Short mmCIF file of all heavy atoms in Angstrom, two decimals:
data_model
loop_
_atom_site.label_atom_id
_atom_site.label_comp_id
_atom_site.label_asym_id
_atom_site.label_seq_id
_atom_site.Cartn_x
_atom_site.Cartn_y
_atom_site.Cartn_z
N GLU A 2 81.28 70.79 124.53
CA GLU A 2 81.90 70.48 123.23
C GLU A 2 81.89 71.70 122.32
O GLU A 2 82.90 72.00 121.65
CB GLU A 2 81.14 69.34 122.57
CG GLU A 2 81.77 68.89 121.25
CD GLU A 2 81.01 67.73 120.64
OE1 GLU A 2 80.10 67.19 121.30
OE2 GLU A 2 81.34 67.37 119.50
N ASN A 3 80.76 72.43 122.30
CA ASN A 3 80.68 73.65 121.50
C ASN A 3 81.66 74.71 121.99
O ASN A 3 82.29 75.42 121.19
CB ASN A 3 79.26 74.21 121.53
CG ASN A 3 78.27 73.32 120.78
OD1 ASN A 3 78.67 72.55 119.90
ND2 ASN A 3 76.99 73.40 121.15
N LEU A 4 81.78 74.81 123.33
CA LEU A 4 82.70 75.78 123.91
C LEU A 4 84.15 75.44 123.53
O LEU A 4 84.94 76.31 123.19
CB LEU A 4 82.55 75.79 125.43
CG LEU A 4 83.46 76.77 126.19
CD1 LEU A 4 83.21 78.20 125.73
CD2 LEU A 4 83.23 76.65 127.70
N ALA A 5 84.46 74.13 123.56
CA ALA A 5 85.81 73.71 123.20
C ALA A 5 86.10 74.03 121.74
O ALA A 5 87.20 74.47 121.38
CB ALA A 5 85.97 72.21 123.46
N LYS A 6 85.11 73.81 120.87
CA LYS A 6 85.30 74.13 119.46
C LYS A 6 85.51 75.63 119.25
O LYS A 6 86.34 76.05 118.45
CB LYS A 6 84.08 73.65 118.66
CG LYS A 6 83.99 72.15 118.51
CD LYS A 6 82.75 71.76 117.71
CE LYS A 6 82.67 70.24 117.53
NZ LYS A 6 81.47 69.86 116.76
N SER A 7 84.72 76.43 120.00
CA SER A 7 84.86 77.89 119.89
C SER A 7 86.24 78.33 120.35
O SER A 7 86.88 79.19 119.72
CB SER A 7 83.78 78.58 120.72
OG SER A 7 82.48 78.27 120.23
N LEU A 8 86.71 77.76 121.46
CA LEU A 8 88.04 78.11 121.97
C LEU A 8 89.13 77.72 120.98
O LEU A 8 90.10 78.47 120.77
CB LEU A 8 88.28 77.43 123.32
CG LEU A 8 87.48 77.98 124.51
CD1 LEU A 8 87.70 77.12 125.74
CD2 LEU A 8 87.88 79.43 124.79
N ALA A 9 88.97 76.54 120.37
CA ALA A 9 89.96 76.09 119.39
C ALA A 9 89.98 77.03 118.18
O ALA A 9 91.04 77.36 117.65
CB ALA A 9 89.65 74.66 118.95
N LYS A 10 88.78 77.46 117.77
CA LYS A 10 88.69 78.38 116.64
C LYS A 10 89.33 79.73 116.97
O LYS A 10 90.10 80.29 116.17
CB LYS A 10 87.23 78.60 116.26
CG LYS A 10 87.03 79.51 115.06
CD LYS A 10 85.56 79.67 114.73
CE LYS A 10 85.39 80.62 113.54
NZ LYS A 10 83.94 80.81 113.22
N ILE A 11 89.04 80.23 118.18
CA ILE A 11 89.62 81.52 118.60
C ILE A 11 91.14 81.40 118.71
O ILE A 11 91.88 82.30 118.31
CB ILE A 11 89.01 81.96 119.96
CG1 ILE A 11 87.52 82.31 119.76
CG2 ILE A 11 89.76 83.15 120.53
CD1 ILE A 11 86.79 82.56 121.06
N ARG A 12 91.60 80.26 119.26
CA ARG A 12 93.04 80.06 119.39
C ARG A 12 93.72 80.06 118.01
O ARG A 12 94.78 80.64 117.81
CB ARG A 12 93.33 78.74 120.11
CG ARG A 12 94.81 78.54 120.45
CD ARG A 12 95.07 77.22 121.16
NE ARG A 12 94.40 77.19 122.46
CZ ARG A 12 93.36 76.40 122.75
NH1 ARG A 12 92.86 75.59 121.82
NH2 ARG A 12 92.82 76.42 123.94
N GLY A 13 93.06 79.42 117.04
CA GLY A 13 93.59 79.41 115.69
C GLY A 13 93.64 80.81 115.08
O GLY A 13 94.62 81.18 114.41
N GLU A 14 92.58 81.59 115.33
CA GLU A 14 92.55 82.96 114.82
C GLU A 14 93.63 83.81 115.46
O GLU A 14 94.28 84.63 114.78
CB GLU A 14 91.17 83.57 115.06
CG GLU A 14 90.07 82.95 114.22
CD GLU A 14 88.69 83.50 114.56
OE1 GLU A 14 88.60 84.23 115.57
OE2 GLU A 14 87.73 83.20 113.84
N VAL A 15 93.85 83.62 116.76
CA VAL A 15 94.90 84.36 117.46
C VAL A 15 96.27 84.01 116.91
O VAL A 15 97.12 84.89 116.68
CB VAL A 15 94.84 84.07 118.98
CG1 VAL A 15 96.08 84.63 119.68
CG2 VAL A 15 93.58 84.69 119.59
N GLU A 16 96.51 82.73 116.67
CA GLU A 16 97.80 82.31 116.11
C GLU A 16 98.01 82.89 114.72
O GLU A 16 99.11 83.32 114.38
CB GLU A 16 97.86 80.78 116.07
CG GLU A 16 97.96 80.13 117.45
CD GLU A 16 97.93 78.62 117.37
OE1 GLU A 16 97.70 78.08 116.25
OE2 GLU A 16 98.12 77.96 118.40
N THR A 17 96.93 82.91 113.91
CA THR A 17 97.03 83.49 112.56
C THR A 17 97.35 84.97 112.63
O THR A 17 98.21 85.48 111.91
CB THR A 17 95.71 83.29 111.80
OG1 THR A 17 95.44 81.88 111.68
CG2 THR A 17 95.80 83.91 110.40
N LEU A 18 96.64 85.70 113.53
CA LEU A 18 96.90 87.13 113.70
C LEU A 18 98.31 87.39 114.21
O LEU A 18 98.96 88.36 113.79
CB LEU A 18 95.87 87.73 114.66
CG LEU A 18 94.43 87.82 114.13
CD1 LEU A 18 93.50 88.29 115.24
CD2 LEU A 18 94.36 88.78 112.95
N GLN A 19 98.80 86.52 115.09
CA GLN A 19 100.16 86.68 115.61
C GLN A 19 101.19 86.50 114.50
O GLN A 19 102.17 87.25 114.42
CB GLN A 19 100.41 85.67 116.73
CG GLN A 19 101.77 85.82 117.41
CD GLN A 19 101.92 87.16 118.11
OE1 GLN A 19 101.05 87.57 118.85
NE2 GLN A 19 103.03 87.84 117.85
N MET A 20 100.93 85.51 113.63
CA MET A 20 101.83 85.28 112.50
C MET A 20 101.83 86.49 111.56
O MET A 20 102.88 86.93 111.08
CB MET A 20 101.42 84.02 111.74
CG MET A 20 101.68 82.73 112.49
SD MET A 20 101.07 81.28 111.60
CE MET A 20 102.04 81.37 110.11
N GLN A 21 100.63 87.04 111.31
CA GLN A 21 100.53 88.23 110.46
C GLN A 21 101.25 89.41 111.09
O GLN A 21 101.92 90.18 110.40
CB GLN A 21 99.06 88.56 110.20
CG GLN A 21 98.34 87.53 109.35
CD GLN A 21 96.86 87.85 109.19
OE1 GLN A 21 96.33 88.78 109.82
NE2 GLN A 21 96.18 87.09 108.35
N LEU A 22 101.09 89.57 112.41
CA LEU A 22 101.76 90.66 113.11
C LEU A 22 103.27 90.51 113.04
O LEU A 22 103.98 91.49 112.77
CB LEU A 22 101.30 90.68 114.58
CG LEU A 22 101.95 91.74 115.48
CD1 LEU A 22 101.64 93.14 114.94
CD2 LEU A 22 101.46 91.60 116.92
N ASP A 23 103.77 89.29 113.24
CA ASP A 23 105.22 89.05 113.15
C ASP A 23 105.73 89.35 111.75
O ASP A 23 106.82 89.93 111.58
CB ASP A 23 105.54 87.61 113.53
CG ASP A 23 105.27 87.32 115.01
OD1 ASP A 23 105.19 88.28 115.79
OD2 ASP A 23 105.12 86.13 115.35
N LEU A 24 104.93 88.97 110.74
CA LEU A 24 105.34 89.22 109.34
C LEU A 24 105.38 90.71 109.05
O LEU A 24 106.31 91.22 108.40
CB LEU A 24 104.36 88.52 108.39
CG LEU A 24 104.67 88.64 106.89
CD1 LEU A 24 106.04 88.04 106.60
CD2 LEU A 24 103.59 87.95 106.06
N GLU A 25 104.38 91.45 109.55
CA GLU A 25 104.34 92.90 109.34
C GLU A 25 105.51 93.58 110.06
O GLU A 25 106.09 94.53 109.55
CB GLU A 25 103.00 93.47 109.83
CG GLU A 25 101.81 93.12 108.96
CD GLU A 25 101.97 93.64 107.55
OE1 GLU A 25 102.48 94.77 107.37
OE2 GLU A 25 101.61 92.91 106.61
N LYS A 26 105.84 93.09 111.26
CA LYS A 26 106.98 93.64 111.98
C LYS A 26 108.26 93.43 111.18
O LYS A 26 109.12 94.32 111.10
CB LYS A 26 107.11 92.97 113.36
CG LYS A 26 106.09 93.43 114.38
CD LYS A 26 106.33 92.74 115.71
CE LYS A 26 105.37 93.24 116.78
NZ LYS A 26 105.57 92.55 118.07
N GLU A 27 108.40 92.23 110.60
CA GLU A 27 109.60 91.93 109.80
C GLU A 27 109.65 92.83 108.56
O GLU A 27 110.71 93.37 108.22
CB GLU A 27 109.56 90.46 109.38
CG GLU A 27 110.80 90.03 108.63
CD GLU A 27 110.77 88.54 108.29
OE1 GLU A 27 109.90 87.82 108.83
OE2 GLU A 27 111.61 88.10 107.48
N LYS A 28 108.50 93.01 107.89
CA LYS A 28 108.44 93.88 106.71
C LYS A 28 108.79 95.32 107.10
O LYS A 28 109.51 96.01 106.39
CB LYS A 28 107.06 93.83 106.07
CG LYS A 28 106.74 92.54 105.34
CD LYS A 28 105.36 92.61 104.72
CE LYS A 28 105.03 91.35 103.95
NZ LYS A 28 103.67 91.39 103.36
N HIS A 29 108.23 95.75 108.23
CA HIS A 29 108.49 97.12 108.70
C HIS A 29 109.97 97.31 108.99
O HIS A 29 110.57 98.34 108.63
CB HIS A 29 107.65 97.40 109.94
CG HIS A 29 107.85 98.78 110.50
ND1 HIS A 29 107.40 99.91 109.86
CD2 HIS A 29 108.47 99.21 111.64
CE1 HIS A 29 107.73 100.97 110.57
NE2 HIS A 29 108.37 100.57 111.66
N GLY A 30 110.57 96.30 109.65
CA GLY A 30 111.99 96.40 109.95
C GLY A 30 112.84 96.47 108.69
O GLY A 30 113.79 97.26 108.61
N SER A 31 112.47 95.65 107.68
CA SER A 31 113.20 95.67 106.41
C SER A 31 113.05 97.02 105.72
O SER A 31 114.01 97.56 105.14
CB SER A 31 112.70 94.55 105.50
OG SER A 31 112.91 93.29 106.09
N ARG A 32 111.84 97.57 105.76
CA ARG A 32 111.59 98.86 105.11
C ARG A 32 112.38 99.97 105.80
O ARG A 32 112.96 100.85 105.14
CB ARG A 32 110.10 99.17 105.16
CG ARG A 32 109.73 100.48 104.47
CD ARG A 32 108.24 100.63 104.33
NE ARG A 32 107.88 101.92 103.76
CZ ARG A 32 107.97 102.23 102.49
NH1 ARG A 32 108.42 101.32 101.62
NH2 ARG A 32 107.62 103.42 102.04
N ILE A 33 112.42 99.95 107.13
CA ILE A 33 113.19 100.95 107.87
C ILE A 33 114.66 100.86 107.52
O ILE A 33 115.34 101.87 107.31
CB ILE A 33 112.98 100.78 109.39
CG1 ILE A 33 111.53 101.14 109.79
CG2 ILE A 33 113.96 101.66 110.16
CD1 ILE A 33 111.16 102.58 109.52
N SER A 34 115.18 99.63 107.41
CA SER A 34 116.59 99.44 107.04
C SER A 34 116.86 99.99 105.66
O SER A 34 117.88 100.66 105.42
CB SER A 34 116.95 97.95 107.10
OG SER A 34 116.81 97.44 108.41
N ALA A 35 115.92 99.71 104.71
CA ALA A 35 116.09 100.21 103.35
C ALA A 35 116.05 101.73 103.31
O ALA A 35 116.85 102.38 102.62
CB ALA A 35 115.01 99.62 102.44
N LEU A 36 115.12 102.32 104.07
CA LEU A 36 115.01 103.77 104.10
C LEU A 36 116.25 104.40 104.73
O LEU A 36 116.72 105.46 104.27
CB LEU A 36 113.75 104.18 104.87
CG LEU A 36 112.42 103.91 104.17
CD1 LEU A 36 111.25 104.24 105.10
CD2 LEU A 36 112.30 104.72 102.88
N ASN A 37 116.78 103.77 105.78
CA ASN A 37 118.01 104.29 106.40
C ASN A 37 119.17 104.24 105.42
O ASN A 37 120.01 105.15 105.38
CB ASN A 37 118.34 103.48 107.66
CG ASN A 37 117.42 103.81 108.82
OD1 ASN A 37 116.87 104.92 108.88
ND2 ASN A 37 117.23 102.88 109.73
N SER A 38 119.22 103.16 104.63
CA SER A 38 120.28 103.05 103.62
C SER A 38 120.15 104.14 102.57
O SER A 38 121.14 104.77 102.17
CB SER A 38 120.23 101.67 102.96
OG SER A 38 121.18 101.56 101.93
N GLN A 39 118.91 104.38 102.11
CA GLN A 39 118.69 105.42 101.11
C GLN A 39 118.99 106.80 101.69
O GLN A 39 119.54 107.67 101.00
CB GLN A 39 117.25 105.37 100.61
CG GLN A 39 116.93 104.12 99.81
CD GLN A 39 115.53 104.14 99.24
OE1 GLN A 39 114.96 105.20 99.01
NE2 GLN A 39 114.97 102.97 99.01
N LEU A 40 118.64 106.99 102.96
CA LEU A 40 118.93 108.27 103.61
C LEU A 40 120.43 108.51 103.67
O LEU A 40 120.90 109.64 103.46
CB LEU A 40 118.33 108.28 105.03
CG LEU A 40 118.52 109.58 105.83
CD1 LEU A 40 117.87 110.76 105.12
CD2 LEU A 40 117.93 109.42 107.23
N ALA A 41 121.18 107.45 103.93
CA ALA A 41 122.64 107.58 103.96
C ALA A 41 123.17 107.95 102.57
O ALA A 41 124.05 108.81 102.44
CB ALA A 41 123.26 106.27 104.43
N ASP A 42 122.61 107.32 101.53
CA ASP A 42 123.02 107.65 100.16
C ASP A 42 122.74 109.12 99.85
O ASP A 42 123.57 109.82 99.26
CB ASP A 42 122.28 106.77 99.15
CG ASP A 42 122.72 105.32 99.21
OD1 ASP A 42 123.83 105.08 99.70
OD2 ASP A 42 121.95 104.45 98.77
#
């Protein structure tokens, strides 16, 4: 039971980190697009 709880907690942490990583990737992509636009200007 303790092992199952630990696995569930780790799985939740992994999902949270994955969401944060996806968000950072999206922010990075938006920033690169903005910088490319400014570079063109």
